Amino acid sequence: MDICKRLGENVRRYRKEKGWSQEAFAHEADIHRTYISDIERGARNPTITIIEKLARPLGVTASQLLE
Amino acid sequence: MDICKRLGENVRRYRKEKGWSQEAFAHEADIHRTYISDIERGARNPTITIIEKLARPLGVTASQLLE
DNA sequence: ATGTGACTGTTAGTCCGTC
DNA sequence: AGACGGACTAACAGTCACA
């Protein structure tokens, strides 16, 4: 399983647990909406600083997003 | 604690557990030795595909490198 | 509310070295 | 053995219009 896809699935799952749209989450994480879309589809290969920006509003660790 | 520094410390610890020099590890991971040096010093912001390339020869998961 | 192609400036990542 | 610099190319960060 590709690590980018795994990250995407994790982000999407945690985001939905929060009841957020991509747009709302993008605002919380201070990341562009379309970038979130790309991440969730595994279409990007982000850096670890992006992983951390995603993790914080979701209330999880960067490590958890890669599990 | 900066996530880049945390990654660096984890990589260094796991590498030493294997008894590898940076150069030997670089060869195992198929990553340039100077890049390994940068990573361990927390001077780089790598992508998740690099995290995975680092994790495999160390016998750990990408997730563990960010813990 | 989300997926996607395209674009530009910036940086990730490689490779040459020296200390 | 490892830190660190310079220079280079490939790829990412960040954004937009449109579907």
Side-chain angles (χ1 to χ4, degrees), chain A residues 14-26:
Chain A
Y14 286 124
R15 173 178 65 81
K16 295 209 167 181
E17 280 178 13
K18 284 277 183 180
W20 285 334
S21 66
Q22 286 183 354
E23 213 155 11
F25 175 42

Side-chain angles (χ1 to χ4, degrees), chain B residues 25-43:
Chain B
F25 174 43
H27 186 259
E28 292 292 331
D30 194 30
I31 292 176
H32 204 270
R33 72 185 163 77
T34 60
Y35 198 62
I36 299 288
S37 171
D38 288 349
I39 294 275
E40 290 193 1
R41 285 178 294 119

Side-chain angles (χ1 to χ4, degrees), chain B residues 33-35 44-47 50:
Chain B
R33 72 185 163 77
T34 60
Y35 198 62
R44 292 279 186 162
N45 179 27
T47 58
I50 293 288

Side-chain angles (χ1 to χ4, degrees), chain A:
Chain A
M1 174 69 180
D2 180 1
I3 192 167
C4 294
K5 289 216 188 304
R6 198 161 65 237
L7 168 71
E9 288 178 4
N10 288 335
V11 168
R12 181 162 287 176
R13 190 178 68 251
Y14 286 124
R15 173 178 65 81
K16 295 209 167 181
E17 280 178 13
K18 284 277 183 180
W20 285 334
S21 66
Q22 286 183 354
E23 213 155 11
F25 175 42
H27 186 259
E28 293 291 332
D30 193 31
I31 291 178
H32 203 272
R33 173 190 75 75
T34 59
Y35 197 72
I36 299 289
S37 172
D38 287 348
I39 293 279
E40 290 193 1
R41 284 177 297 116
R44 295 266 189 167
N45 178 28
T47 59
I48 59 178
T49 59
I50 294 287
I51 307 297
E52 208 179 29
K53 283 181 77 173
L54 293 168
R56 195 171 322 144
L58 291 173
V60 298
T61 62
S63 178
Q64 282 177 282
L65 290 184
L66 293 185
E67 275 171 1

